[in-house]
Amino acid sequence: MRQERLMAEQRKTLTSVVWSISSKIAIFTLKFISVPILARYLSPEELGMVASGMIVITFLLMFAGAGLTAGLIRDAREDAVSDDTVFWTNLAVSALLAVAVFVWADPLATLLGAPEASWLLQVFSPLFVLYLGPDVASSQLARRMAFDRDAFVTVVAEALGAMAAIAVVLGGYGIWALIVQLYVSAVLRFFGLFVAAGYLPGLHFSSSELKRHMSYGVRLVGADFVNFLSFQSPIVIITRMLGLPQAGTFNLTNRLSDLPNQIVLTGLMSVLFPSFSRMNEDNARQAEVLSRTTRATTLLLAPLLFGIWAVSEPAMTVVFGEKWAFAAPVLGLLAVSKGIMSPCGSFIPYLKATGHASVLWWFGLGRAITVVAAMTLGAWWDGLEGLCLALCIANLFVLLAYLAIVLKVARLPLAQGMRDTLLPLAVAGAMAIAVRLAQGEGLIIFHGAVLQLAAGVALGGVVYALLLALTQRRLVLDLVRR
C-alpha cells in the first residue's frame, strides 16, 4: 500500500513538473521572439531605466508578502479563514506600498543612481497590487499540485503581454512597449489565477492565523532578501558605477542567458517545494529525491548555459542584431555564472520544505556579501566584463559552500554529492570547451552568424550525447524509463 502511494505521488509530481516546464518552454518561445524585436527598437539606456525601476518593485514585493503564501503552500490543509487572512493582509500592504513609491519616486530613483527613472517608478507603483493580489490563488493551485491551470494562465498572460509590447514598439512608442507588456501580463494573471483557483475572498480575518504564517514566512523573507542582493544587485552596482547604458546591456544579455533557468529551474522549483513538503515524514525519501533531481537538473541546465558561452558571438548577432554584437563576452560570462549554479535548483526548495529557513538566511547573507564585493571589485577593475567574470568566480565558491551545507542537512555522503553536482558540471564544461575550440581553430567553417550558430549547437549536441553515454548512462536510462 505504501509503495502504491509513493508511486502515485511520483506520477503526480512528474505530471506537475511536465506542466510547469511546458509553460516555461512556451514562455521561452514568446520571449525568444519578442525580446529580440524589442531590442532592435530600444536603446541600452531605455532598457536600463526599466531594469532600474523594476528593481525597486521587486525588492519591496519581497517584503510586502512577508512569505505568507509560502506558509499556505506548506500547510497540508486548506482553510478559508487562513487564506482570506493572507489575502487581505497582502492587499492592504501592497496598496500602501503603491502610494509610498508614487510619493517618494524621486529619492528612490536617485538612490539607485538613475534619477531620470523616477517617472517610471510612479508608473510602476500600481503593479504592487496586481502582483501580490493573486498570490493566495496561486498558492492554492500549488498546494493542490494543479500546475496545469497555473501554466495555462501564465502562458496566456505572457503571450498577450508580448504581443501588446511588439505592437506598441512597432508603433514607435519606445519604452512604453515594456510598460504595456508588464501591465497586460499582470492584469491577465491577476484575474486568471482567481478564476483558475475558483477563489473568491471572504470577509474573514484571524490574527492568530496571520501570526502563525508570519512566524514561518518572515524567516523565508530574510533568505529571499539576501538572495535578492545576490541576484539583483548587479543592476544597482552597474547603474551607479558604469551608467544606464551599461545597465541596459547587462539587462538584455541577462535576459537571454537566463532563459534556460526560466524554462527549467523556475518550473522545477515551484513543483519541488510542495513535493518536498509532502515528504516531511520521510527523510530518506526526501534525500533520495534531492539527489536525483540535483543530477537531472544539472545534466539538463549546465549544457544549455555553458553552451551559450560557447556560441555567444554568433548567438548575440543572430538574436539581437549587429548593433548588440559587442555584448557577446558579457552574454557568455553571465551564462557561465548561471551554469555553475545549476545544481542549486533543488537545494533551495529542499531547505525551505524541511524547515531550514535559518540556514538559508545565514548562507544567503554570506553569499550576498561575497557576490556583491566580487562584482564591485570586478566592475572597478574591468567594467562590465570584469563584473561578470568576478560573478563566475564568486559563484564557484558559493556552489561548493551550498553543497557542503545541503549534504550535511540531508546526511548524504560527500562522494554522492560530488557525483550529483561536479561530475555533470564537468561533462557540460568539456562539451562547451570543445565547441569553443572548434570555432577558434576554424573547424566550423560556415560563413554567416546563423550557420555558425547552427553548426555550434549541432556539434555541442553530438559531443554532449557522447559524453553522457560515457559518464551518465545509468541515470539517463533511469530517467527515460520513468
Side-chain angles (χ1 to χ4, degrees):
M1 187 69 180
R2 182 175 180 273
Q3 186 65 24
E4 291 178 359
R5 182 174 60 82
L6 288 175
M7 290 181 65
E9 194 71 31
Q10 285 181 3
R11 285 193 295 269
K12 190 170 185 178
T13 300
L14 181 59
T15 301
S16 299
V17 169
V18 170
W19 272 109
S20 190
I21 291 180
S22 296
S23 71
K24 303 305 177 185
I25 292 174
I27 294 171
F28 160 80
T29 304
L30 293 168
K31 289 184 177 181
F32 195 78
I33 296 171
S34 63
V35 171
I37 294 174
L38 296 174
R40 292 170 189 267
Y41 287 88
L42 298 174
S43 67
E45 185 172 3
E46 288 174 321
L47 290 170
M49 286 177 64
V50 172
S52 297
M54 285 305 297
I55 283 287
V56 174
I57 306 301
T58 305
F59 178 75
L60 294 177
L61 274 173
M62 177 177 56
F63 292 99
L68 298 179
T69 50
L72 295 180
I73 296 174
R74 196 165 182 260
D75 272 355
R77 60 183 176 85
E78 287 197 22
D79 179 73
V81 174
S82 183
D83 289 350
D84 292 347
T85 297
V86 173
F87 171 79
W88 293 115
T89 302
N90 282 351
L91 189 63
V93 172
S94 60
L96 287 173
L97 281 177
V99 173
V101 169
F102 188 89
V103 172
W104 289 309
D106 286 343
L108 286 172
T110 302
L111 183 65
L112 285 172
E116 55 268 66
S118 62
W119 69 273
L120 263 180
L121 288 179
Q122 293 181 323
V123 172
F124 286 160
S125 59
L127 287 173
F128 288 109
V129 176
L130 293 174
Y131 284 157
L132 203 59
D135 270 8
V136 171
S138 179
S139 69
Q140 289 180 339
L141 293 174
R143 187 167 50 201
R144 301 167 193 165
M145 303 293 281
F147 290 96
D148 52 342
R149 300 180 189 179
D150 194 307
F152 177 78
V153 171
T154 302
V155 170
V156 170
E158 291 290 341
L160 294 179
M163 291 169 60
I166 292 173
V168 172
V169 79
L170 292 179
Y173 292 97
I175 195 173
W176 283 97
L178 298 176
I179 298 170
V180 168
Q181 182 177 23
L182 288 170
Y183 268 97
V184 170
S185 297
V187 169
L188 291 173
R189 177 180 176 273
F190 183 94
F191 290 106
L193 286 176
F194 279 106
V195 173
Y199 175 57
L200 184 63
L203 298 178
H204 302 108
F205 189 87
S206 169
S207 58
S208 61
E209 285 296 297
L210 179 60
K211 183 178 179 181
R212 181 171 71 88
H213 288 304
M214 286 194 69
S215 65
Y216 173 73
V218 166
R219 290 177 292 168
L220 293 183
V221 169
D224 289 341
F225 168 69
V226 291
N227 282 329
F228 178 91
L229 293 179
S230 299
F231 291 115
Q232 302 297 334
S233 58
I235 289 293
V236 179
I237 294 172
I238 295 167
T239 301
R240 294 191 66 87
M241 295 184 66
L242 306 176
L244 275 176
Q246 294 283 59
T249 300
F250 179 90
N251 182 38
L252 185 68
T253 52
N254 191 52
R255 285 190 181 197
L256 182 57
S257 66
D258 204 40
L259 285 178
N261 282 341
Q262 293 296 321
I263 296 173
V264 179
L265 198 56
T266 55
L268 183 66
M269 289 177 68
S270 65
V271 174
L272 285 180
F273 176 48
S275 298
F276 280 131
S277 297
R278 287 166 172 254
M279 304 175 198
N280 273 338
E281 302 301 321
D282 191 345
N283 296 333
R285 178 64 181 156
Q286 280 182 327
E288 178 188 343
V289 173
L290 172 67
S291 175
R292 186 178 299 276
T293 53
T294 299
R295 291 179 69 189
T297 303
T298 309
L299 286 173
L300 185 58
L301 270 178
L304 295 175
L305 291 161
F306 290 165
I308 291 177
W309 167 76
V311 297
S312 58
E313 285 84 359
M316 204 68 194
T317 301
V318 169
V319 177
F320 297 118
E322 287 287 347
K323 79 170 187 176
W324 290 100
F326 71 92
V330 178
L331 171 65
L333 289 171
L334 281 175
V336 171
S337 72
K338 292 175 172 62
I340 291 170
M341 294 296 291
S342 57
C344 302
S346 58
F347 292 173
I348 294 176
Y350 171 78
L351 292 173
K352 281 185 177 181
T354 52
H356 290 87
S358 59
V359 174
L360 283 172
W361 154 253
W362 286 110
F363 178 81
L365 180 61
R367 174 188 180 184
I369 293 172
T370 301
V371 169
V372 170
M375 289 188 299
T376 302
L377 182 61
W380 171 79
W381 173 58
D382 193 28
L384 192 53
E385 290 183 32
L387 178 144
C388 294
L389 178 60
L391 183 60
C392 292
I393 297 171
N395 277 353
L396 180 59
F397 287 100
V398 169
L399 170 64
L400 295 176
Y402 232 143
L403 179 60
I405 291 172
V406 170
L407 291 181
K408 182 178 180 180
V409 171
R411 298 178 182 177
L412 290 172
L414 177 61
Q416 184 173 345
M418 301 283 281
R419 182 198 66 185
D420 292 342
T421 57
L422 300 187
L423 180 58
L425 281 178
V427 171
M431 175 275 296
I433 291 172
V435 173
R436 191 82 174 193
L437 289 175
Q439 290 179 328
E441 296 298 324
L443 299 180
I444 298 178
I445 58 175
F446 295 101
H447 295 290
V450 174
L451 291 178
Q452 289 177 5
L453 177 60
V457 171
L459 176 61
V462 171
V463 172
Y464 191 62
L466 292 174
L467 291 174
L468 282 183
L470 292 173
T471 63
Q472 303 288 329
R473 182 170 51 194
R474 180 177 297 179
L475 176 61
V476 172
L477 290 175
D478 190 27
L479 291 173
V480 170
R481 291 192 192 104
R482 287 174 180 269

